[in-house]
Amino acid sequence: IRDSGVDVRLLRTRRANGAGARNAGIAAATGDWIAFQDADDLWLPEHLERAVRLLEGSEDVGFIAHCDFIRPDGQTVRTPPPWPLGAPTGGLAADRFFEMFARNKAFHMHTSVLRRDVLEAIGRLDTELTRRHDIDMWLRAIHGRTWAYDPVPATAYRAESPRSLTRNQA
């Protein structure tokens, strides 16, 4: 990281699960919005710009988008958007998330952007959860609030990373 040429701050924390590591990042963040990216995620060039355009001037507390997948050979697999919204849409209620999630269990944390003050208000991510702390956090964040969705892929996910938490089905 130090040699990447990118102005980053490397955090060293006690060993923790993904929720603990993300919480350390949230605590160190100084901005009003938090975006998530893991080692097996790739942000596409306009990801944050598209999120800002949709969130700017709205009451929405979060943003999620569609994503593509990256095969082990490096090829990007384009997938059709899982939800029936054909254009970027804001002002969505939590009930709309449940309706769409029931159709296709799609939730990709690496596409999400959330208001930092909301993350603080809900207590960040639950470190007691080994898995699914991401969607738990998202559901608590949008409860009683509105959010935005973009059907344009914002990220790509290396779906076959051998040691990823997603692949750990235990």
Side-chain angles (χ1 to χ4, degrees):
I1 290 173
R2 282 186 209 101
D3 296 335
S4 71
V6 176
D7 186 22
V8 296
R9 182 173 157 211
L10 177 61
L11 301 178
R12 295 197 183 276
T13 64
R14 291 186 345 207
R15 181 144 173 94
N17 63 8
R22 289 173 172 144
N23 284 343
I26 293 166
T30 59
D32 294 333
W33 293 91
I34 304 292
F36 298 90
Q37 184 179 34
D38 293 333
D40 54 2
D41 305 331
L42 172 72
W43 281 355
L44 299 179
E46 294 183 356
H47 168 45
L48 295 178
E49 180 183 336
R50 291 184 69 85
V52 166
R53 268 195 307 237
L54 195 52
L55 293 168
E56 202 167 48
S58 78
E59 295 296 318
D60 296 336
V61 300
F63 165 92
I64 54 176
H66 180 46
C67 76
D68 289 329
F69 293 90
I70 302 172
R71 296 189 323 213
D73 65 5
Q75 288 280 55
T76 298
V77 177
R78 302 276 178 213
T79 58
W83 294 346
L85 295 172
T89 306
L92 298 165
D95 290 349
R96 185 74 167 141
F97 179 82
F98 287 114
E99 175 188 315
M100 293 190 303
F101 187 78
R103 296 176 118 191
N104 183 335
K105 308 287 187 262
F107 175 76
H108 304 285
M109 178 124 169
H110 52 95
T111 73
S112 69
V113 178
L114 281 160
R115 285 177 53 125
R116 182 172 186 216
D117 61 340
V118 171
L119 284 170
E120 297 297 349
I122 65 168
R124 301 184 193 154
L125 290 102
D126 185 344
T127 58
E128 297 298 313
L129 298 175
T130 305
R131 297 191 55 171
R132 307 297 183 230
H133 56 266
D134 52 358
I135 194 164
D136 169 75
M137 174 222 46
W138 175 259
L139 294 174
R140 288 184 293 119
I142 66 170
H143 178 71
R145 303 173 181 97
T146 61
W147 58 283
Y149 173 73
D150 190 349
V152 174
T155 66
Y157 170 65
R158 290 177 184 89
E160 300 295 324
S161 297
R163 296 183 59 168
S164 76
L165 188 58
T166 304
R167 292 189 48 90
N168 178 2
Q169 298 297 319

